[in-house]
Structure formats: C-alpha cells, structure tokens
Amino acid sequence: MRKFALALAGAAALTVGAAQAADEPSLPKVTWPNDGVFGTFDRASLQRGFQIYKEVCSNCHALQHLHYRDLGPGGPGGGIGFTDEEVKALAEQAQVTDGPNDQGEMFQRPGRPYDPIARPFPNEQAARAANNGALPPDLSLITKAREGGARYVFALLQGYTDPPPDMKMGTGMNYNLYFPGHQIAMPQPLSDGQVTFSDGTPNTLTQEAYDIAAFLTWAAEPTLEVRHRMGTKVFLFLLVLTGLFYVVKRKVWAEVH
Amino acid sequence: MAAAPAKQKSKLVGWIDHRLPIFSFMEHELNEYPTPRNLNYWWNYGSLAGIMLVIMIASGIFLAMAYTPHKDMAFDSVERIMRDVNYGWLLRYIHMNGASMFFVVTYIHIFRGLYFGSYKEPRELLWIIGVVILLTMMATAFMGYVLPWGQMSYWGATVITNLFSAIPLVGDWIVTLLWGGFTVDNPTLNRFFSLHYLLPFVIVGIVVLHLIALHQHGSNNPLGIDRKGPQDSIPFHPYYTVKDLFGLCVFLLVYAAFVFYAPNLLGDPANYIPANPLQTPAEIVPEWYFLPFYAILRSVPNILFIPAKLAGVLAMFGAIGVLFILPWLDRSRVRSATFRPLYKWFFWVLVLDCLVLGYVGANRPEGMFLVLGRIATLWYFFHFLILVPLLGVFERPRPLPTSISSAVLKGAAAPAMEK
C-alpha cells in the first residue's frame, strides 16, 4: 500500500517535472535510407557511425548487446560491411580479462570476434564516479528506448545551446533543447570536425549526428533489413493467397446467394 | 450419426471411427454443423481469436526455449533472442504484436456479440464462458508483459499487483503471495513466467467449453432470429471455412504490416530500458488494450467510506463484472440491434465511450482528462446498469422478419421454403 502510494507519488512528481518542461521543440524531419518498408542500411554511413562511436562515444557509453563478430559478415543481418579480417583486427585492439587458467588465475588476452565489445567502465559505480555521478546509458538499444528513436539522437546531439537567462542550471549540467527537462549531464560530445572520417566525408556536426544515429539504429536492430526483405515476400505471398481465397469464396458461395 | 462418415469409406478410417469416433465427430461438428446462411464478416472474429491463440502458444513455446526467467538475465536473454537466435526477432515480434492482434479480434468479437445480442437466451453460458476467457487472457497478457523485465514491465507489475492490496483484510497477504516476497523481484518473475506458460492452456480448455456451448444452439446471426428449418442453414464446411480463410488472409496482412514494418509501434520505448527498481519512469502506462480499464481505475474518487484506490479497483473489475450479468440486465427479447432503433445508437455511443476511456487511460488523470475519464466511466456503468434494462422495457423494436431465408433471399427462395 505504502509502496503503491510511493510509486504513484514518484510518478506524479516526475510527470509534473516533465509537464513543466514539455516545451521541447518537435524533432527535425530527417530520414535515413533504412526507413520505410524497403529501407536498407547505408553501409558507408554505418561505418562512419561506428568510427564516431569508437573515437568519441565509447569513452563513456557501452554497447553491451553487441559483439565484435556482429560487425562482420557473420553477424545478424550481415554486419556493417567489415570483413572478417577487419573484425579480427578490431577485436584484437581490446584487452579482455579471461580465465581462470590452469593456475587458477585470471589473465589478459587480446579480444576475439566472439567477445562483447569492450566496455568503458567495469561497473555502474565506476561509470558514475568518472562522470560526476551521472550514468552514461548503454547505447545498444538507445534508438528503440527513446521516443523519436534515431531522430531524437540526431536532434539531441545538435541540441546544445546556451541556457535561457532565467534558467538555473545544476552544477555540471548542460542545456539541451531536446533533452526532457533540458538539463543533461553529458557535455556536448560532437562538434564540427570532431572526427576525421576515413572515407573523406565532410565532418560537419550534422553529418556526424546523422551517421551515429544510423549506426545506433543498426545497433538496436541489426536484423532490420532482414525483416524488411522478409516482409516484402510475406506480403506478396499473402496478397496472392488472399486473392485466391476471395475467388474460391465467391465460387463456393455462388450457389447459396 | 454414429456411423462412419458417408464420404470416407476407407476401411482404416471406418475401423478407427468404430472405436474412436473422431471422424464422425469432425464430420458432425464441421461438415454437417448447420450454420445460419446469413452470417456477415463480423462473424469471422471468433475463429480469428482461436487462430491467434494457436499462434501465441506456438511462438511462445519457441520463445520460452531461449528465454531466461531471472531478473538479472531476462532482459539480456530477450535481446539475445532478437539478435542471435535464428529468426528469434521474427518469433518475438510475432508474439509481442500477436498479443495486440489477439485483443483487437477479441474486442471486436465481444462488440459483435453486444450488437447482435449473442449473449441472450439460450446463449447466456456461451457468453459468460467468453467473459471468463477475456479475464484469463488479460491475466496472461499482463504476466507476459512482465517477462522482458524492462522498465515498463517492472513498474507495470508493481502498480498492478499493488491493486490487490486495496482488498480489505487480506489485501496485503495476497500481494505478498503474488510477489513471492516483499517487493516485485525475482520470485515474482519466476511465478509470472510459470503462470504465463500455464494459462494459455487453461484458455484452450475454456475455449473448448465455449465451442461446446456454441455448437449446442449454433451461431447467432445478424437478424438475431432463430433458424426455423434447413432452408435457413448451410453446412459450416465449405461455406464458412472458406469465408473464414479469406478473412484470415486479410487479417494476416494487417498483422504482418505490424510485425515487419512497425513492430514497436504499439509498444512503449521505456520497455527497452532494463528494469530499475530505483528509478520510476516518467509515466507508467499499460499496453493499449488495458487503457480503458486503467482509465476507469484512475477516474474513481473516494466514495463515502470507500477509499479511491479500492473504489477504483472495484470499478475496474466491475467493468468486466457487468458483462457477466448482462444476459439478465438486457430485458429485450429482440437480439439484433438491427431491429432495435434506440439500442443501436446507444451501442455506438458505448463503442465511442470505450475509445474515449482508452484515450483518457493514455494520459495523466488531471484537468480535462480526469473530467472526461469520470464522465466516460459513469456512462459505461450507466449504459449497462440503467440504460440496457430500461431500453428492454421502453424501446419499441421494429418487426422481425419471419425467417432467415425469407430475409436473405427476398422471396427468391419461396419454393425452397415450401418444401
């Protein structure tokens, strides 16, 4: 009983907070090649996005549901276009704690494709200690776990501005147009020229935000393309079957009407 | 009747049927089973609900093979299903959108019954068994939603299980029993998984009863009048098997649109965040199919000496409860709303009322939504408890057709009727 009241009170307090700050602008109307019923990923964009993750985001954010192998051709949905060799080389850059060995001791070894992508912090406490008490959320499902999905990520990364003069900011907090309540612990992570893309694509903030949002959409659902492809086949099959049953139904019922 | 089916003269079939009459049973219940010749497409939803039950059980069994009912592993195991289990994403999207589809067809099936008076004599028990199926489905769906152990799973479970604490005297004891402890925790997840696996098979059993009751007097029909003779009926097979199959295909197109192109549209993004007992989500909202009931729960204020929480819980369960006694609340002997000029309108007002309740349920109970929710809640009970009984007395129904065949064939079947 008390817990219920507490939960409701908590919810009420939070919703009031959200209601006061319900002045976030609507998200920009941007689309990705993987949108729509026939949508497929732009592999070059995914790889640029992964480069951003690796160079910037991965300093604080984990991708705990992904393994290195997922990036290669054997991954779910065929990966982001890396070859097996590239995946192997990538995994080897990480040091992984394994064991215990025959002596009963844990040991360090280079990463293998089957390892989960290395996390920046060993646990939540370490993450909070390094981030002024804030916990950088895991990013592997972020586009599914936020209203607006990829568009929200795209907008948020470009939404850093100076706070309005009448707003009192918490210590270490940053003003963001799109973050619920506008006070976000994460300082602006991306800016013009932050990442030098290996394929020479102009590294504007918009381009970076676009590519990382694409990559995180893939990370949240690597099988998205497979789903779209199968959907097309299922629809064609069902349309034909529906037509057939319609004709059969008409024929069977002809004698009754 | 007990003899082997006429068409199947195979010796083996005859041998088996003599000892175990499954073939004559099927012949009797499918092939010969007389069905009103005038059923419209609103009569497709019963078989669709049955098929959804089978789809849910089939996809659920395979999901359970890869799912781990532990609070530290449940969320990750679901993600593993999505990423690493072969076609796991397909199974899960089928199952999670299947719940919504199951409720859509069931709700339409129920409103069909309300419009055409399918709950009236002699189908009262058929209707009541159906309401029992609805209740069991709701329990199953609620517990299934807890299994991924996301934020909405956890907090939904917390809010809903806490409702039982409103029951005087034994409330807290019941909640502890539901939780298997003193908060929603691993034992809760374990027992919910166990029950979520069990209840669908209980539903299968109740569905069998539903079908036995149905086949006793056969389907109601859009005219709501009894079949007077063979000219009013056609055999279920092939007429309604093919009509059901056509309807099934159309339904599957809609279902597939969700599964393949908008699998998360009906879900809450917060359930892709792992459960965190220390952080209440901004809004705790159930799945869409519970929203009207949620609205009723949150609309009720303190009534005399009954605290708002208990009153809300009573009203919420009462919303289903009135359906149990509906066959006796409705005094009109005319089944079909087609011939009930007033009830017809109030039926659609009720549909609108339920949609309003759903809309209100998705919003915080404050300001306009609280007022709207209270009006809609009052109307819901006013409809069943006052309007329906009064209409039965004061409404003047239009004259009923003499028979199904005369209405359907408009005189063309006169020779057939004279036979």
Side-chain angles (χ1 to χ4, degrees):
Chain A
M1 180 92 187
R2 199 162 6 104
K3 182 144 186 163
F4 174 83
L6 222 101
L8 277 192
L14 276 162
T15 50
V16 168
Q20 281 166 352
D23 54 343
E24 290 97 35
S26 57
L27 298 174
K29 300 240 178 309
V30 58
T31 58
W32 280 266
N34 50 271
D35 294 340
V37 296
F38 300 113
T40 52
F41 289 119
D42 172 357
R43 289 284 181 303
S45 173
L46 296 187
Q47 292 184 17
R48 286 195 298 273
F50 177 69
Q51 188 187 345
I52 299 167
Y53 170 75
K54 194 161 156 271
E55 292 181 16
V56 184
C57 320
S58 69
N59 288 312
C60 299
H61 295 278
L63 277 179
Q64 66 171 76
H65 295 294
L66 286 171
H67 300 75
Y68 291 105
R69 62 173 158 80
D70 296 335
L71 302 164
I80 64 167
F82 286 175
T83 63
D84 284 329
E85 288 68 35
E86 284 170 321
V87 171
K88 209 169 162 224
L90 194 69
E92 279 170 357
Q93 291 172 14
Q95 283 296 309
V96 176
T97 307
D98 202 348
N101 62 14
D102 295 346
Q103 316 302 315
E105 282 153 7
M106 304 304 280
F107 59 92
Q108 295 280 308
R109 61 161 174 82
R112 300 256 181 274
Y114 54 73
D115 285 321
I117 289 179
R119 302 179 188 197
F121 303 107
N123 51 53
E124 183 183 328
Q125 286 77 0
R128 284 191 190 276
N131 287 286
N132 197 21
L135 177 68
D138 183 85
L139 291 186
S140 35
L141 282 166
I142 204 77
T143 60
K144 278 177 157 185
R146 294 291 182 277
E147 211 75 58
R151 286 169 65 205
Y152 170 75
V153 173
F154 176 75
L156 182 91
L157 291 170
Q158 302 177 83
Y160 286 88
T161 58
D162 291 329
D166 59 332
M167 182 152 177
K168 278 218 173 76
M169 301 292 292
T171 32
M173 301 301 268
N174 304 277
Y175 186 83
N176 190 301
L177 282 173
Y178 297 97
F179 192 72
H182 298 306
Q183 298 207 47
I184 185 168
M186 172 169 73
Q188 178 167 358
L190 296 176
S191 52
D192 286 328
Q194 177 88 35
V195 176
T196 307
F197 290 126
S198 44
D199 63 359
T201 304
N203 50 1
T204 59
L205 171 58
T206 309
Q207 182 68 42
E208 290 167 355
Y210 186 83
D211 287 337
I212 188 67
F215 171 72
L216 291 175
T217 305
W218 172 86
E221 192 173 359
T223 52
L224 182 144
E225 286 170 318
V226 187
R227 168 157 69 78
H228 285 174
R229 278 202 301 272
M230 191 187 284
T232 312
K233 291 180 207 158
V234 167
F235 251 80
L236 286 175
F237 173 81
L238 280 178
L239 281 173
V240 172
L241 195 66
T242 308
L244 280 175
F245 272 124
Y246 180 69
V247 172
V248 175
K249 194 255 161 191
R250 286 285 298 259
K251 186 156 165 33
V252 168
W253 278 75
E255 44 199 280
V256 180
H257 282 311
Chain B
M1 204 193 88
K7 284 175 205 161
Q8 289 155 334
K9 284 288 182 193
S10 148
K11 261 191 172 169
L12 180 65
V13 169
W15 188 90
I16 293 174
D17 202 66
H18 188 61
R19 287 151 183 84
L20 178 72
I22 45 169
F23 294 101
S24 40
F25 172 78
M26 276 161 42
E27 172 73 12
H28 182 62
E29 298 301 336
L30 278 174
N31 222 349
E32 297 166 2
Y33 177 59
T35 316
R37 61 191 305 154
N38 61 334
L39 299 188
N40 57 32
Y41 277 103
W42 296 112
W43 261 263
N44 276 51
Y45 290 87
S47 77
L48 287 180
I51 290 163
M52 271 321 302
L53 178 62
V54 173
I55 291 175
M56 293 304 278
I57 290 178
S59 55
I61 286 174
F62 286 103
L63 285 172
M65 291 178 188
Y67 169 77
T68 312
H70 187 282
K71 64 170 180 157
D72 295 332
M73 289 177 266
F75 189 90
D76 290 352
S77 77
V78 171
E79 271 312 303
R80 209 184 103 77
I81 290 170
M82 292 298 289
R83 291 155 193 270
D84 290 338
V85 172
N86 290 334
Y87 298 104
W89 60 270
L90 180 61
L91 279 172
R92 173 155 180 267
Y93 281 158
I94 283 176
H95 199 73
M96 98 189 206
N97 286 287
S100 288
M101 295 298 129
F102 200 176
F103 274 98
V104 169
V105 295
T106 305
Y107 284 152
I108 294 176
H109 185 63
I110 292 169
F111 277 108
R112 192 286 319 273
L114 288 176
Y115 187 86
F116 294 108
S118 302
Y119 50 86
K120 291 185 190 181
E121 196 272 315
R123 297 186 182 83
E124 300 94 325
L125 287 181
L126 171 61
W127 171 262
I128 287 175
I129 292 167
V131 180
V132 173
I133 294 175
L134 174 66
L135 272 176
T136 321
M137 264 177 74
M138 294 172 99
T140 311
F142 162 65
M143 286 190 267
Y145 191 64
V146 175
L147 301 186
W149 212 241
Q151 271 290 68
M152 219 38 92
S153 299
Y154 179 88
W155 288 100
T158 303
V159 170
I160 301 301
T161 50
N162 259 307
L163 294 181
F164 290 89
S165 72
I167 303 169
L169 302 176
V170 291
D172 286 330
W173 181 82
I174 291 176
V175 174
T176 308
L177 190 72
L178 285 173
W179 286 342
F182 301 101
T183 178
V184 175
D185 208 336
N186 198 49
T188 323
L189 179 58
N190 280 183
R191 60 194 57 199
F192 277 20
F193 178 57
S194 170
L195 293 173
H196 183 69
Y197 206 116
L198 166 71
L199 287 183
F201 297 97
V202 174
I203 294 178
V204 170
I206 314 175
V207 166
V208 170
L209 290 179
H210 197 59
L211 288 175
I212 293 173
L214 171 70
H215 282 223
Q216 179 71 7
H217 290 283
S219 292
N220 182 29
N221 65 79
L223 296 174
I225 55 177
D226 289 326
R227 284 175 282 128
K228 305 256 162 57
Q231 73 280 6
D232 289 346
S233 306
I234 44 177
F236 188 83
H237 181 74
Y239 296 106
Y240 287 109
T241 36
V242 72
K243 194 171 178 177
D244 278 354
L245 281 169
F246 169 62
L248 172 67
C249 282
V250 175
F251 166 73
L252 286 179
L253 278 166
V254 177
Y255 189 4
F258 278 102
V259 168
F260 293 103
Y261 300 126
N264 296 303
L265 184 69
L266 299 172
D268 194 306
N271 226 28
Y272 279 108
I273 303 170
N276 182 355
L278 299 176
Q279 189 184 37
T280 318
E283 286 181 61
I284 304 174
V285 189
E287 292 287 82
W288 69 265
Y289 40 79
F290 289 141
L291 287 177
F293 300 101
Y294 199 52
I296 292 176
L297 169 75
R298 300 202 291 183
S299 292
V300 183
N302 293 315
I303 300 174
L304 301 176
F305 56 91
I306 309 174
K309 185 179 166 190
L310 178 58
V313 172
L314 288 175
M316 188 175 72
F317 283 106
I320 304 270
V322 291
L323 297 179
F324 279 105
I325 52 169
L326 178 62
W328 295 278
L329 289 173
D330 190 346
R331 308 303 302 166
S332 171
R333 296 180 65 100
V334 177
R335 295 198 190 100
S336 174
T338 313
F339 305 104
R340 301 184 60 189
L342 292 175
Y343 177 78
K344 185 198 275 186
W345 285 103
F346 286 118
F347 167 83
W348 288 110
V349 174
L350 179 73
V351 173
L352 185 71
D353 189 60
C354 291
L355 293 176
V356 168
L357 280 171
Y359 176 63
V360 168
N363 290 281
R364 273 167 249 131
E366 49 193 36
M368 188 261 285
F369 290 113
L370 187 61
V371 178
L372 206 57
R374 285 185 174 164
I375 294 171
T377 302
L378 276 176
W379 182 267
Y380 183 91
F381 287 102
F382 174 76
H383 174 95
F384 284 109
L385 295 177
I386 295 171
L387 205 54
V388 162
L390 285 182
L391 281 178
V393 178
F394 293 108
E395 183 184 47
R396 286 193 55 192
R398 289 167 42 210
L400 296 174
T402 47
S403 80
I404 292 174
S405 54
S406 70
V408 171
L409 303 175
K410 304 208 168 58
M417 280 173 68
E418 281 157 19
K419 260 186 237 171

